[in-house]
Amino acid sequence: MATSPNNGSPTSKTDFVNAYLDGNPTGGAKAVNEAWAAAGHEGKISDTLVHRLRSEKGLTGNRPPGREPGSGNGTSARSPASRARPARRRGRPSRYSPAADRPATKAAPPPPPRSAAEDGGLEAEFDRLLFRVMGLGMPDVEEAIRHARRLLVLREGR
């Protein structure tokens, strides 16, 4: 712990920086070190200590003129009306965020139904029907559709 040659002044670097920032809220690490040397102390106060203490006092960041700094506990000095609203997030929403956070988009219309000729003929239609019947659990109808499909394939010569 650093000691001060003057009685009644702060004895630790942290106390010195806190006292300096109370009187000079815009002072940075360079100004604090100049005041430290002018007070007759040896050594240097680390920039990290100054920045940490400025942050704890709410003296960091860009604030409009006249705005009071926060209380130093990580909360900002916001009005009660602004606390009621959630903070706006800028930029694109994350692709992993829930759908409720994303802006509403218009759903794409379903594709138009295709004719049997476009899908590969009746054989494809039989396949679709067969899978639907399999899902319903009707083995006798399933066998009849398989038989009809075989007859179609034999007739077309595939």
Side-chain angles (χ1 to χ4, degrees):
M1 185 183 307
T3 58
S4 172
N6 305 335
N7 285 339
S9 65
T11 57
S12 72
K13 290 181 179 183
T14 302
D15 290 339
F16 182 86
V17 174
N18 277 324
Y20 181 83
L21 292 176
D22 287 341
N24 304 298
T26 58
K30 184 177 179 182
V32 168
N33 274 305
E34 289 171 0
W36 177 257
H41 298 286
E42 294 180 12
K44 179 180 184 292
I45 297 176
S46 71
D47 294 353
T48 305
L49 175 64
V50 176
H51 294 304
R52 183 177 58 85
L53 294 175
R54 282 180 51 79
S55 176
E56 287 176 3
K57 289 181 169 286
L59 301 175
T60 58
N62 297 327
R63 286 192 185 81
R67 183 167 174 188
E68 294 179 9
S71 62
N73 62 359
T75 60
S76 63
R78 291 169 54 181
S79 68
S82 67
R83 272 185 246 137
R85 295 187 308 261
R88 286 184 53 184
R89 295 177 63 190
R90 293 185 178 181
R92 293 180 9 190
S94 168
R95 66 181 185 196
Y96 303 110
S97 66
D101 292 347
R102 291 189 213 139
T105 57
K106 193 172 185 179
R114 296 192 239 172
S115 68
E118 289 177 303
D119 277 343
L122 287 174
E123 188 177 352
E125 293 297 323
F126 271 112
D127 288 340
R128 284 188 192 91
L129 181 61
L130 179 62
F131 283 114
R132 288 180 66 187
V133 170
M134 286 170 58
L136 295 173
M138 300 177 359
D140 51 336
V141 176
E142 183 181 327
E143 188 55 39
I145 293 171
R146 288 181 194 273
H147 182 71
R149 185 179 179 278
R150 283 188 211 108
L151 290 175
L152 175 70
V153 170
L154 289 175
R155 177 171 264 179
E156 290 183 2
R158 292 185 199 180

